[in-house]
Amino acid sequence: MNDNQLKLSSQVCFPLYSASRLITKAYKPYLDEMGITYPQYLVLLVLWENDGISVNQITEKLLLNTNTLSPLLKRMEKMELLQRTRSSEDERSVIVQLTEKGRRLKEQAKPIPEKLIKILLTENIDLSDVIQLKEMLNDWITLLTENNKTKQ
């Protein structure tokens, strides 16, 4: 093994990790206005797209474990953003639905993606670069998800 492979500057994971943290930080002022955290925002995005789905479906979409998602949903339920109920068809399944308060937050959230895109666009980075990066990252997520499944 070459020692250069163990340099921070040689790692693929570090720029991804750093960019992710910095993008999350860029969201923070907008989410603070709404009274929610970034993980709560992600749950709301899933529910705004498809309300009334199971906890398992949310874990699949967000690539989270149930033991990570359950406390998050519990806090959101206390905030009256959503409600959890046992499925009448399958007692083991919990269905998550937005409350009126959770649905109203969608209007407040609508300008956020555009505000974030404006932060990312520069003289050297245009919208097509952002779209291309997003598509590549989605491909990596698919690849790595499949790779992790085969190793379990």
Side-chain angles (χ1 to χ4, degrees):
M1 179 185 265
N2 179 336
D3 278 349
N4 284 335
Q5 291 175 324
L6 292 179
K7 288 185 177 180
L8 185 62
S9 61
S10 299
Q11 304 305 305
V12 172
C13 58
F14 183 70
L16 288 169
Y17 170 76
S18 297
S20 175
R21 288 185 57 241
L22 291 168
I23 287 174
T24 301
K25 189 175 183 180
Y27 272 95
K28 189 170 178 3
Y30 307 113
L31 301 179
D32 284 350
E33 286 178 22
M34 296 172 62
I36 60 173
T37 64
Y38 184 73
Q40 291 169 340
Y41 176 66
L42 296 179
V43 169
L44 288 170
L45 286 172
V46 169
L47 293 172
W48 289 331
E49 188 176 332
N50 193 3
D51 196 9
I53 61 174
S54 71
V55 170
N56 286 343
Q57 289 171 300
I58 297 171
T59 62
E60 287 172 17
K61 286 186 178 287
L62 296 180
L63 301 175
L64 293 173
N65 294 323
T66 306
N67 60 352
T68 302
L69 185 63
S70 291
L72 179 62
L73 294 175
K74 190 173 186 176
R75 284 191 300 276
M76 293 177 76
E77 191 169 35
K78 284 183 182 175
M79 296 167 66
E80 299 178 355
L81 298 175
L82 55 83
Q83 61 184 19
R84 298 174 297 159
T85 54
R86 291 255 170 233
S87 169
S88 57
E89 297 160 10
D90 181 358
E91 215 175 89
R92 297 167 297 175
S93 183
V94 174
I95 304 300
V96 182
Q97 289 184 292
L98 290 166
T99 61
E100 184 56 38
K101 183 178 177 182
R103 283 190 288 279
R104 279 196 314 263
L105 280 181
K106 184 176 182 178
E107 283 305 310
Q108 202 173 341
K110 279 184 179 178
I112 294 174
E114 188 175 329
K115 289 177 181 179
L116 264 290
I117 288 292
K118 284 182 181 177
I119 292 170
L120 297 175
L121 301 182
T122 65
E123 229 176 73
N124 300 323
I125 301 171
D126 64 25
L127 185 57
S128 67
D129 295 324
V130 175
I131 292 167
Q132 184 179 1
L133 176 61
K134 181 188 166 296
E135 289 171 354
M136 184 188 319
L137 290 171
N138 281 332
D139 289 344
W140 283 17
I141 289 166
T142 301
L143 175 74
L144 293 167
T145 300
E146 289 304 313
N147 185 56
N148 286 337
K149 283 181 185 175
T150 61
K151 292 187 178 188
Q152 288 180 353

